[in-house]
Amino acid sequence: MSILEFFRAPRRPTLAATAKERLQILLAHERADRHAPDFLPQLQKELLEVIKRYLAIDDDKVAVRLQRESGCSLLEVNVELPLTTPPARQPASAGSPSGALSPSM
Amino acid sequence: MTAGWQPIQEALLGNVIVMTSGKGGVGKTTSSAAFGTGLALKGHKTCIIDFDVGLRNLDLIMGCERRVVFDFINVINGEARLNQALIKDKRVENLFILPTSQTRDKDALTRSGVERVLEALRKEFDYIICDSPAGIEKGALMALYFADDAIIVTNPEVSSVRDSDRILGVLQAKSYRAEHGLEPVRERLLITRYDPRRVERGEMLKVDDVLEILAIPLLGVVPESPAVLRASNVGMPVVLDESSNAALAYTDAVARFLGDSVEHRFLCPERRGLFDRLLRRTA
C-alpha cells in the first residue's frame, strides 16, 4: 500500500483536514457568541444616549460587540455618523464611522 | 441537598454521570448501557436512567423491555415507589435500570422531581448514569443538570463535533454545579464509531483532531463495530460480547474512568495478512 502511494499524484489536503478547518472556524465564532456578556445591550443603550447628546444619530447607528482573539478581548464600537454632521462641539469626540478596532473586519 | 455535592473520594453518596452529545444517533444509549454494565462488572452498584421521555429505548438495548411495569415518571409523580420501578439486570450483579415513560412527554421531568429521585438513588448506588435524549431541550437539560461527571459521546464527524461543543457550553453554564459556583462538572470525551481505515485514508477526523477542537480529556475511542448492532438485536449491552473490539474499548474506558491508566487501542487499522484477506475475514 505504501509503495503504491509513492507513485500516486501528490495529495491535495485530505477531506478530514477540510472538515477540521471548517469546524475550527465555525466553533471560534460560536464560542465567542456563547460567552458574550449580557451587559452589552445596556452598554449599547447608554453609549447611544451619550452620543445623542452631541450628535443627531438614529438609534440603530451604534453597534457594540465583543470579540475574543488569542489572549485578549476586543470591544468593538461602531458609530455610523449621518452625512450632514451637525457642528461638533468637541472635535472628533465620537470617532469616525469605523471607530472599529477589529483587525479581522 | 448540598451534602450531595462533595468530591467523589470523600462522598458516601453516588456519583451522577450524564451521557450526552447534543446530536442524536451517535451512541448515547449504547454507551450508557455498555458503560453502566462495565461499572457494575467492576463491582460498583450502578443504575442507568433513561431520560428520553416518550422515546424510551434503554429498556430495549438492555433487554428488559418486557419487565417494565412502573417507570421514572411514575416515581416522580408519586405513583410508584423507586424500588417498584427499578429493574434488576438478570445477567450482571449490581446493575439496575430505571426506564422512562413511553407515553408522556418531557414536561413530566420536573426539576424537583428529578432531584428527589437522584437524591434517593445517590444513597443506594455508587454510580447513576443519566442517558440523555438528543437536543438541548428540557429532557437533555434535566439529564445533565445534576451531573457530577459528563461523558460526551461524539462521532468523528462535523455535525457531531459541533453539537458536542454546544452541549459543553450548556454544561458549563446551565448545570447545577455551574449555577451554584461549585467545582465544574468533569467532562470527558468518548469517541464512538471510529473507523481507523477511513482515518488513514484521510476521510475521517482523527482522534487528535477531535481532541484539539473540543479540548477535553479523552475517556475512550470505540471503533465502528458490527457487534453493536448484533448486541442491540438481542438486547444485550455490547460490553458483554467479549470477543468484540467495541466491548474491549468500553471496558478500557470504564477502567480509565475509575482511575486506571490504560493505553488506547484500535486507533490504527488492523494489519491483515494475505491469508486473512483472501478469506475476506472481518473483524
Side-chain angles (χ1 to χ4, degrees):
Chain A
M1 177 139 165
S2 51
I3 295 171
L4 285 176
E5 215 142 280
F6 184 76
F7 292 105
R8 266 190 216 154
R11 286 210 179 169
R12 282 172 281 135
T14 62
L15 300 174
T18 309
K20 182 182 179 186
E21 195 190 325
R22 289 176 62 219
L23 269 170
Q24 280 173 322
I25 293 167
L26 175 73
L27 293 182
H29 281 94
E30 289 188 349
R31 285 171 187 162
D33 292 348
R34 189 193 302 163
H35 294 296
D38 45 12
F39 62 74
L40 282 186
Q42 184 64 22
L43 176 66
Q44 179 158 342
K45 189 165 156 262
E46 289 179 23
L47 276 173
L48 189 71
E49 281 166 13
V50 172
I51 293 165
K52 269 181 157 175
R53 274 186 235 153
Y54 301 92
L55 295 162
I57 58 166
D58 292 336
D59 284 7
D60 57 354
K61 299 299 187 203
V62 177
V64 179
R65 61 189 198 123
L66 195 70
Q67 285 203 1
R68 265 160 227 263
E69 312 265 313
S70 54
C72 69
S73 297
L74 210 61
L75 184 66
E76 181 183 319
V77 181
N78 268 298
V79 183
E80 195 181 315
L81 300 184
L83 279 173
T84 52
T85 319
R89 272 183 281 170
Q90 270 128 30
S93 58
S96 63
S98 58
L101 317 158
S102 163
S104 67
M105 291 303 286
Chain B
M1 169 76 251
T2 46
W5 300 99
Q6 295 155 2
I8 171 180
Q9 298 92 320
E10 306 154 26
L12 297 167
L13 298 167
N15 233 46
V16 175
I17 306 167
V18 61
M19 194 71 74
T20 188
S21 69
K23 191 177 182 303
V26 297
K28 285 180 296 296
T29 302
T30 300
S31 297
S32 295
F35 204 83
T37 306
L39 284 168
L41 285 171
K42 290 262 188 181
H44 301 283
K45 198 171 176 194
T46 303
C47 174
I48 316 173
I49 311 179
D50 192 344
F51 272 77
D52 204 347
V53 185
L55 290 168
R56 81 170 177 221
N57 275 317
L58 179 68
D59 54 336
L60 205 50
I61 297 298
M62 290 298 295
C64 61
E65 70 276 10
R66 298 179 62 176
R67 297 169 63 204
V68 178
V69 181
F70 294 110
D71 60 51
F72 188 23
I73 304 302
N74 290 138
V75 180
I76 286 177
N77 292 341
E79 296 151 1
R81 281 177 291 111
L82 188 52
N83 285 338
Q84 292 177 298
L86 282 172
I87 301 174
K88 188 179 188 317
D89 191 87
K90 286 187 168 165
R91 296 153 296 209
V92 181
E93 193 71 5
N94 294 319
L95 181 59
F96 290 79
I97 294 101
L98 182 55
T100 194
S101 165
Q102 179 71 336
T103 51
R104 320 245 185 133
D105 63 36
K106 308 281 197 261
D107 291 332
L109 289 171
T110 61
R111 186 176 287 186
S112 59
V114 173
E115 181 175 15
R116 219 172 348 98
V117 175
L118 287 179
E119 224 175 315
L121 289 170
R122 279 171 184 280
K123 292 177 189 149
E124 293 274 324
F125 290 89
D126 300 320
Y127 294 102
I128 300 127
I129 296 187
C130 302
D131 181 24
S132 173
I136 47 170
E137 313 296 321
K138 182 129 191 219
L141 290 180
M142 279 299 107
L144 66 78
Y145 188 73
F146 293 103
D148 304 304
D149 289 84
I151 299 176
I152 314 296
V153 185
T154 305
N155 292 167
E157 177 271 324
V158 287
S159 56
S160 175
V161 174
R162 180 198 207 173
D163 290 359
S164 293
D165 191 73
R166 182 87 171 85
I167 208 78
L168 284 167
V170 174
L171 273 164
Q172 289 154 15
K174 293 190 179 164
S175 61
Y176 180 94
R177 283 175 171 268
E179 285 183 356
H180 292 77
L182 299 166
E183 190 120 323
V185 178
R186 271 162 302 200
E187 303 153 338
R188 266 162 290 191
L189 182 67
L190 185 66
I191 298 178
T192 55
R193 310 201 66 169
Y194 195 69
D195 187 337
R197 239 167 273 159
R198 301 193 75 181
V199 170
E200 195 180 60
R201 289 201 294 264
E203 285 178 13
M204 182 181 266
L205 290 165
K206 291 194 290 281
V207 169
D208 288 344
D209 294 340
V210 182
L211 279 178
E212 188 184 329
I213 292 166
L214 293 179
I216 58 172
L218 181 64
L219 184 62
V221 181
V222 181
E224 174 81 63
S225 163
V228 172
L229 178 62
R230 283 202 301 263
S232 79
N233 286 334
V234 296
M236 176 182 88
V238 69
V239 76
L240 295 179
D241 177 3
E242 285 160 13
S243 64
S244 76
N245 289 350
L248 299 174
Y250 276 117
T251 306
D252 287 358
V254 169
R256 282 184 209 107
F257 186 87
L258 295 172
D260 297 349
S261 73
V262 183
E263 207 168 324
H264 291 278
R265 327 184 229 182
F266 318 120
L267 303 187
C268 299
E270 281 173 41
R271 296 282 164 220
R272 290 189 283 173
L274 184 62
F275 191 65
D276 267 357
R277 282 200 219 185
L278 287 174
L279 289 174
R280 287 181 168 253
R281 277 193 205 162
T282 50

